[in-house]
Amino acid sequence: MQQAGCDFTPVPVPGYGHQDCLIGKHLDPLFERIRAFLDEPPRGRGARPVSEPALLAQAPWMGPMLLPDPAGGAYVLGAGADPGRGFPLAFVLVAVERTQAGFRRRAGWPVQRRYLDTTPVGDWLTEPLPAWADDFAVTHLAALFVYAGTAQADVPDADAVDAAVDRALAGMDAMADALPPGIVDLGWRQADGAALRLALGSCQYPAGIFDDVPAYAAWQRLVTRCADPRRRPHALILTGDQVYVDATAGLLDPSQRDERYRKPYEHWLHQRHVRDALRRLPVYTMLDDHEIDNDWAPLPQTAPAALRARNAEYRRFGVEAFQRYQRARATTPLWFETRLHEVEVFFADTRSERGCRDSRTAALAPIMDPAQHAALLDWIDRGAQHDRPKLLVAPAAMLPRHRYALCATGGPGTAAAAVQSDGWDGWPASWQAVLARIADSGICGLVLLSGDEHLGLWVQARVQRMQHDIVDRDVRFESVHTAGLYTPYRFANAQRSDFVLADDFAFASADGRYRYRCTLHTRVFEGAGFTFLELARSAGSSWKLRVEYDDGSDAPQRCGEAELS
């Protein structure tokens, strides 16, 4: 206070805490002393002048976040400005290198400046990575917002912006094992390339007042793994429920759009360990129910009009917020295909395109639109033409089946029972069509990735196609369902008993020509954390899948390997 040039008078109040001095009992004498102090004339010293430059460069308040753009094949950075600083004047990307004193701009590399005076960005913007960032010589770049200082500033020139950036970089702590906020690590491109390594996660329940450390422990472990080039993932896949817009299950959930669909993203993207991870790895995201509303699905026409209108509004707001904060661009549909190293990947949207269903219509209700369904079946057919691994990513688990989606006798699920499931088996027509196409195509090397159940499940499955009781197609595949990142409420978490872990069931094709038999065995992994996958070539042309369910315990039984066939 003295260094700031402020007048102050300490007034001890024995037995009172800081809140007691404002809202406690018998405070009249204290308030009189406060009034007398405020009425005193200044003591003549005055505040010291504040020497703040005209422009300030600061790290993003949310993010930065590395986002791939499947449409363009490039990467963008998502970042959020500091609401306490006012509207930013510019957003800057610059190649940097570490020094003993901090960081500095790399000599000879251009600076990408985006002036924001005529381009309102609100609380979040996305900026394409510059072409020079593709050079592997660039291992780090700084992403900084530039704000006006104490004085109002017009559109700044390049020299003033660069000077502000230099001041910010010089003030950054250059500890060997840490990255200051705003520094983006591009080392994932140079990680050991002998295999494709992925981190898989879902279901990040927000922390409360007392549980911030356990809530984000999984993210801290991910950041630690990124420091080892031999273990560092090449990408992060989040299958849904990255935020919970309905964190109190309807009890105290906000109803206003801003509070419901913006604040959860602010909380998530401002969290330190989350930010540390998202600027070290490109992140591929999918949307699930808690980005919209718990177990969201369209309501049937028999529902009251007001409920259907609110339900549709929740979907629109949730999808818009997801596209804004979790995607490189706000495009529809949400599903897409891409390629990671040699591996073909289909990201399926099993949430926002669902059809209406009830006990009478569930047998034929689709889990996705016809366009996505056709694209997925076509992707499976094309995947059968080569022996490289293929990943089908979806928020909902395809296997194992839920016990409560079976009829009372334990036989095949009926339409009435199917509505109890929020997974693939709750939409029998779509589910069986995909399983049938897997068998029909003869695809090899298929791995399904999913989340949502708050329980780790590794399924080794086999689906056979039979005609006149003769097997003419036989396909084996893996299904890896990640545990939740932080799911502290046991009543909301799936249990072993919810699933048919060792299963053998049959169904017929839609035209009745074929009959299919699916058998499977499931390993269960409890705990919370990311699931790490490695796809590597083994002897000859075959591939091996390695799976590690990370809960921080380093228990060997939480790892396993399988040959893909």
Side-chain angles (χ1 to χ4, degrees):
M1 295 292 285
Q2 288 177 339
Q3 291 178 351
C6 297
D7 291 340
F8 69 98
T9 300
V11 180
V13 185
Y16 277 58
H18 67 286
Q19 292 284 358
D20 296 329
C21 293
L22 295 177
I23 60 175
K25 299 179 179 180
H26 313 299
L27 294 178
D28 289 347
L30 177 60
F31 287 161
E32 287 299 326
R33 295 194 65 176
I34 294 175
R35 175 183 291 181
F37 171 78
L38 295 176
D39 289 341
E40 290 178 1
R43 301 180 185 179
R45 188 157 53 89
R48 295 183 181 180
V50 178
S51 58
E52 188 174 75
L55 295 179
L56 292 173
Q58 289 186 351
W61 190 72
M62 294 188 292
M65 179 181 188
L66 269 167
L67 294 163
D69 184 356
Y75 293 92
V76 306
L77 274 181
D82 184 350
R85 273 288 173 188
F87 191 78
L89 301 177
F91 184 65
V92 178
L93 297 178
V94 56
V96 297
E97 59 186 359
R98 193 190 300 268
T99 69
Q100 290 184 347
F103 283 82
R104 68 184 177 193
R105 281 191 289 156
R106 294 193 62 174
W109 292 87
V111 178
Q112 179 163 304
R113 312 173 192 87
R114 175 180 171 183
Y115 295 102
L116 305 173
D117 59 306
T118 59
T119 311
V121 296
D123 62 339
W124 186 258
L125 65 75
T126 53
E127 179 72 4
L129 286 186
W132 49 258
D134 292 336
D135 192 321
F136 274 36
V138 179
T139 58
H140 296 85
L141 61 85
L144 301 170
F145 282 102
V146 177
Y147 302 90
T150 54
Q152 292 295 322
D154 297 325
V155 179
D157 59 34
D159 290 340
V161 169
D162 292 351
V165 169
D166 289 339
R167 288 191 297 271
L169 293 175
M172 289 183 176
D173 189 352
M175 293 184 297
D177 297 329
L179 280 183
I183 301 297
V184 179
D185 183 356
L186 301 178
W188 54 272
R189 303 178 305 178
Q190 299 171 329
D192 179 9
L196 173 64
R197 291 187 299 277
L198 301 170
L200 177 68
S202 73
C203 305
Q204 175 62 60
Y205 197 84
I209 298 175
F210 304 110
D211 59 342
D212 190 75
V213 171
Y216 301 102
W219 294 90
Q220 189 173 13
R221 295 196 300 271
L222 174 59
V223 172
T224 300
R225 180 178 287 251
C226 287
D228 184 350
R230 298 168 301 177
R231 304 174 69 222
R232 180 175 190 157
H234 295 96
L236 169 60
I237 295 175
L238 300 175
T239 64
D241 297 345
Q242 285 73 257
V243 298
Y244 279 64
V245 302
D246 54 349
T248 66
L251 182 62
L252 297 172
D253 293 338
S255 58
Q256 296 299 313
R257 178 179 182 179
D258 184 71
E259 289 289 323
R260 185 178 177 90
Y261 294 104
R262 181 175 65 85
K263 287 294 185 181
Y265 282 102
E266 283 190 359
H267 184 93
W268 179 52
L269 293 170
H270 184 63
Q271 208 286 327
R272 177 166 60 96
H273 298 307
V274 174
R275 296 165 72 192
D276 282 349
L278 296 182
R279 58 196 173 101
R280 284 175 164 85
L281 296 171
V283 55
Y284 295 81
T285 61
M286 290 306 297
L287 164 146
D288 207 9
D289 58 326
H290 291 291
E291 275 92 359
I292 303 174
D293 193 42
N294 184 47
D295 288 346
W296 185 90
L299 297 177
Q301 291 296 318
T302 53
L307 289 181
R308 286 189 285 111
R310 186 179 67 176
N311 189 65
E313 188 177 67
Y314 278 175
R315 179 196 180 278
R316 178 167 63 88
F317 290 163
V319 169
E320 288 177 357
F322 170 79
Q323 291 175 315
R324 177 173 178 77
Y325 294 103
Q326 297 197 55
R327 284 292 176 88
R329 61 175 71 189
T331 57
T332 54
L334 300 182
W335 56 271
F336 63 95
E337 300 178 35
T338 192
R339 186 170 179 171
L340 298 175
H341 292 204
E342 299 182 68
V343 178
E344 305 291 339
V345 190
F346 191 102
F347 286 86
D349 173 15
T350 55
R351 180 59 60 181
S352 74
E353 295 183 355
R354 296 183 172 198
C356 296
R357 65 171 182 169
D358 56 25
S359 60
R360 297 168 298 175
T361 62
L364 299 177
I367 199 171
M368 56 183 61
D369 282 351
Q372 181 186 183
H373 184 74
L376 174 55
L377 299 185
D378 179 65
W379 178 83
I380 293 172
D381 288 339
R382 286 185 280 116
Q385 299 172 14
H386 61 80
D387 62 357
R388 298 188 304 273
K390 304 94 188 172
L391 301 178
L392 171 54
V393 182
M398 185 169 293
L399 296 170
R401 293 190 296 171
H402 297 85
R403 288 192 182 277
Y404 46 75
L406 307 178
C407 64
T409 61
T414 65
V419 297
Q420 304 300 318
S421 173
D422 190 52
W424 275 91
D425 55 350
W427 311 81
S430 300
W431 178 57
Q432 293 175 4
V434 173
L435 286 175
R437 185 57 62 93
I438 290 173
D440 294 342
S441 68
I443 190 171
C444 62
L446 178 64
V447 181
L448 313 184
L449 304 180
S450 55
D452 188 47
E453 299 287 353
H454 304 181
L455 185 67
L457 302 166
W458 184 0
V459 179
Q460 295 181 307
R462 181 181 188 181
V463 58
Q464 298 170 305
R465 189 181 76 178
M466 296 175 288
Q467 189 173 21
H468 307 303
D469 295 328
I470 299 175
V471 176
D472 64 354
R473 289 286 192 276
D474 192 344
V475 174
R476 298 173 187 269
F477 61 95
E478 308 287 324
S479 177
V480 179
H481 188 85
T482 186
L485 294 174
Y486 184 61
T487 55
Y489 297 110
R490 294 296 298 269
F491 66 85
N493 300 343
Q495 307 295 321
R496 291 170 177 263
S497 58
D498 294 337
F499 302 97
V500 186
L501 299 178
D503 204 356
D504 185 340
F505 63 92
F507 60 94
S509 60
D511 60 6
R513 181 181 179 186
Y514 298 107
R515 189 163 182 81
Y516 299 88
R517 180 187 180 190
C518 185
T519 56
L520 59 94
H521 173 74
T522 307
R523 296 172 62 186
V524 178
F525 299 88
E526 297 179 338
F530 285 99
T531 300
F532 296 100
L533 303 101
E534 180 178 280
L535 288 163
R537 287 190 180 274
S538 54
S541 60
S542 62
W543 289 76
K544 180 178 291 186
L545 169 68
R546 185 177 188 276
V547 180
E548 175 188 348
Y549 286 88
D550 173 37
D551 67 347
S553 66
D554 294 326
Q557 65 269 24
R558 301 188 67 81
C559 303
E561 293 182 351
E563 291 286 341
L564 297 183
S565 59

